[in-house]
Amino acid sequence: MQAIMLGLNSVPGVMGGLLSDEQGSILAHSFPPYFDAATIKGAAELLQDNTVGLQDVTGGVKLFDIRFELGRLIIKPLPQMFLVVL
């Protein structure tokens, strides 16, 4: 799983990614070292906390695509997991 996450970084423009379970635990990630473990863990926990309610309200979210001035965050809910790409 870790090898797949590291492979994401070879895509032009991808800074890193993470795979987390429904409880907010990190299964694998490929973020560079300047993203500390606590920050990555916090992001996974926030993702888990907020998407469950959003999925209930919308009937199931297929993809989050959040665009910023200097980047983009893609979140793909998978069965019992979330894939995040920055």
Side-chain angles (χ1 to χ4, degrees):
M1 203 176 304
Q2 186 66 33
I4 293 169
M5 295 307 298
L6 290 171
L8 278 175
N9 289 15
S10 66
V11 175
V14 172
M15 181 176 279
L18 74 87
L19 192 62
S20 66
D21 66 15
E22 291 179 315
Q23 289 74 43
S25 298
I26 304 289
L27 303 174
H29 82 84
S30 62
F31 284 105
Y34 57 83
F35 287 94
D36 63 80
T39 300
I40 296 169
K41 174 72 174 153
E45 289 171 350
L46 281 172
L47 175 64
Q48 184 275 330
D49 286 346
N50 293 305
T51 56
V52 172
L54 188 55
Q55 287 180 0
D56 288 344
V57 170
T58 64
V61 175
K62 305 267 189 280
L63 181 78
F64 296 96
D65 187 351
I66 305 165
R67 296 169 188 246
F68 302 93
E69 183 178 342
L70 299 175
R72 185 175 179 188
L73 181 67
I74 299 171
I75 304 167
K76 174 71 177 160
L78 301 169
Q80 302 173 348
M81 293 183 231
F82 295 100
L83 173 65
V84 178
V85 179
L86 178 63

